[in-house]
Amino acid sequence: MYALQQKILSEGIVLSEQVLKVDAFLNHQIDPELMRQIGVEFAERFKDAGITKIITIEASGIAPAVMTGLVLGVPVIFARKYQSLTLKDDLYRSKVFSFTKQTESTIAISNKYLHSEDKVLIIDDFLANGHAALALVDLISQANATVCGIGIVIEKSFQTGRKLLDEKGFKVESLARVKSLTDGQVSFVES
Amino acid sequence: MYALQQKILSEGIVLSEQVLKVDAFLNHQIDPELMRQIGVEFAERFKDAGITKIITIEASGIAPAVMTGLVLGVPVIFARKYQSLTLKDDLYRSKVFSFTKQTESTIAISNKYLHSEDKVLIIDDFLANGHAALALVDLISQANATVCGIGIVIEKSFQTGRKLLDEKGFKVESLARVKSLTDGQVSFVES
């Protein structure tokens, strides 16, 4: 997705050969018009998959997921990283290790909003080693619902997540695929 | 806002005389079309305020804030509740006590994205005792920026927050004003 690649080149910051910081438009400050375009793009790529629900993780997945849900006309569920007082229903839970924060956390969704007939699109901001996506797959499996696709805003293709998800047979669509972050430069996988 | 009131009546759950659970469309599952309508409504109410930036708190404020930012054509910043590895800039910090979770947490925004010339609209999902809104006001004050308004999706008018913010002279616009949650019933302030 050209507009996203240009935004990464102009406003992304390479912190190391592993870490790309996009706090300027996705992870802290959000560019709503770019998110709308991202939603349109994801909707186009998954329009024939019969999606009934989108699942993401708080917080950075919410904006692209909601914009996608708006175009596809389906609800969005964001998995929560903690158990709040008002989220006391029976929960599906899974553990996820965050590469960025180097911590393990539990994510959860209520069993009220996800059912066996649901065809689910997973949306997330980053794909690195695939742990977050697989934790979401686990939650969806607990509901006996079907994962129909995985939409990623920025994929770090030099890490293992994409290969892992491909091997498991998921349809993965990444809007920007970062080949490397060497020498402080972002280079993309040729499309 | 009629559509929001109807949604609260049909899908909100009164947990106690203090707690209204709206996990069905705002705090866990999100209704993207309702969020779009909320964004249009906030934008209409603050269209003459010269807003340059919207600030909210993760996670439930993000969807209504981004939809409002899309209509107003301005960026959204979500204050983070923790300090992630990629958020290492100089930060403005403030403490907020969560009524829902009965815990105190620190929220922070990077000083890179908020400046003294900014005219800021605060958007949040709930207004109860006003602590979250005042913590955001505190962050904005640290940047010497101007708070031009506060947009609330659901105000619990029987708690102290609205009065507190009115007394401080802020323009507060709440899309649903809940008068009471007595006997398991939601009743609204007459508009």
Side-chain angles (χ1 to χ4, degrees):
Chain A
M1 185 181 165
Y2 183 77
L4 175 62
Q5 288 193 351
Q6 291 306 304
K7 194 79 166 180
I8 292 168
L9 291 174
S10 62
E11 300 187 22
I13 295 171
V14 177
L15 285 187
S16 71
E17 293 200 349
Q18 305 291 315
V19 180
L20 171 65
K21 180 172 169 171
V22 291
D23 281 3
F25 59 90
L26 181 59
N27 294 138
H28 182 37
Q29 183 169 252
I30 300 172
D31 179 334
E33 170 57 23
L34 182 65
M35 295 303 121
R36 187 193 66 75
Q37 293 171 31
I38 284 170
V40 168
E41 182 72 26
F42 278 137
E44 174 65 24
R45 296 194 188 195
F46 293 101
K47 67 183 178 195
D48 299 322
I51 303 299
T52 63
K53 208 148 280 187
I54 293 171
I55 295 194
T56 188
I57 303 186
E58 62 177 345
S60 297
I62 293 175
V66 170
M67 289 298 182
T68 309
L70 184 66
V71 183
L72 288 175
V74 300
V76 172
I77 304 171
F78 59 96
R80 307 216 67 153
K81 287 177 181 159
Y82 51 85
Q83 191 170 345
S84 82
L85 186 71
T86 60
L87 194 63
K88 278 187 176 297
D89 310 283
D90 286 333
L91 298 171
Y92 301 123
R93 290 183 182 80
S94 190
K95 290 192 174 171
V96 57
F97 182 81
S98 166
F99 171 82
T100 316
K101 280 173 272 166
Q102 295 286 316
T103 55
E104 187 179 74
S105 58
T106 298
I107 61 168
I109 59 173
S110 165
N111 67 6
K112 283 175 68 173
Y113 305 118
L114 191 58
H115 307 103
S116 59
E117 65 271 24
D118 274 318
K119 303 183 78 171
V120 182
L121 172 60
I122 292 171
I123 297 278
D124 208 2
D125 56 336
F126 268 95
L127 174 61
N129 51 37
H131 290 184
L134 288 175
L136 290 172
V137 167
D138 181 28
L139 295 178
I140 295 160
S141 303
Q142 291 177 45
N144 295 311
T146 307
V147 178
C148 290
I150 301 175
I152 299 293
V153 180
I154 303 174
E155 170 189 312
K156 293 192 283 185
S157 307
F158 55 89
Q159 292 186 256
T160 55
R162 177 59 185 264
K163 184 163 177 288
L164 195 64
L165 297 178
D166 282 344
E167 282 171 2
K168 289 178 181 287
F170 295 112
K171 180 186 177 183
V172 181
E173 292 283 346
S174 301
L175 303 190
R177 302 188 69 195
V178 176
K179 188 169 68 179
S180 80
L181 298 171
T182 309
D183 296 330
Q185 299 293 314
V186 181
S187 64
F188 296 103
V189 176
E190 307 275 331
S191 61
Chain B
M1 185 181 163
Y2 181 76
L4 175 62
Q5 287 192 351
Q6 292 305 304
K7 194 80 167 179
I8 292 169
L9 291 174
S10 62
E11 299 187 24
I13 295 171
V14 178
L15 285 186
S16 71
E17 294 201 349
Q18 304 291 316
V19 179
L20 170 66
K21 180 172 168 169
V22 290
D23 281 2
F25 60 91
L26 180 58
N27 293 138
H28 183 35
Q29 182 169 253
I30 298 174
D31 180 334
E33 171 56 23
L34 181 65
M35 294 304 121
R36 190 194 64 77
Q37 294 171 31
I38 285 170
V40 168
E41 182 72 26
F42 278 137
E44 174 65 24
R45 296 193 188 195
F46 292 102
K47 67 183 178 195
D48 299 323
I51 303 298
T52 62
K53 206 148 280 187
I54 292 171
I55 294 193
T56 188
I57 303 187
E58 64 178 344
S60 297
I62 293 174
V66 169
M67 289 297 183
T68 308
L70 184 65
V71 183
L72 288 176
V74 300
V76 172
I77 303 170
F78 60 96
R80 306 217 68 153
K81 287 176 181 161
Y82 52 84
Q83 190 170 345
S84 84
L85 186 71
T86 61
L87 194 64
K88 279 187 175 299
D89 310 282
D90 287 333
L91 298 170
Y92 302 122
R93 290 184 182 80
S94 190
K95 290 192 174 172
V96 56
F97 183 80
S98 166
F99 171 83
T100 316
K101 282 173 273 168
Q102 295 285 314
T103 54
E104 187 179 73
S105 58
T106 297
I107 62 169
I109 60 173
S110 165
N111 66 8
K112 282 174 70 173
Y113 305 118
L114 191 58
H115 307 105
S116 58
E117 64 272 24
D118 275 318
K119 302 181 78 171
V120 182
L121 172 60
I122 292 171
I123 298 277
D124 208 3
D125 57 335
F126 268 95
L127 174 61
N129 52 37
H131 290 185
L134 288 175
L136 289 173
V137 167
D138 180 28
L139 295 178
I140 295 160
S141 303
Q142 289 176 47
N144 294 311
T146 308
V147 177
C148 290
I150 301 174
I152 300 293
V153 181
I154 302 174
E155 170 189 311
K156 294 192 282 186
S157 307
F158 55 87
Q159 291 185 257
T160 55
R162 177 60 185 261
K163 184 162 178 287
L164 194 63
L165 297 178
D166 281 344
E167 283 171 0
K168 289 178 180 289
F170 294 112
K171 178 184 177 183
V172 180
E173 291 283 346
S174 301
L175 303 189
R177 303 188 69 195
V178 176
K179 187 169 68 178
S180 80
L181 298 171
T182 309
D183 298 330
Q185 298 293 314
V186 181
S187 64
F188 295 103
V189 176
E190 307 275 334
S191 60

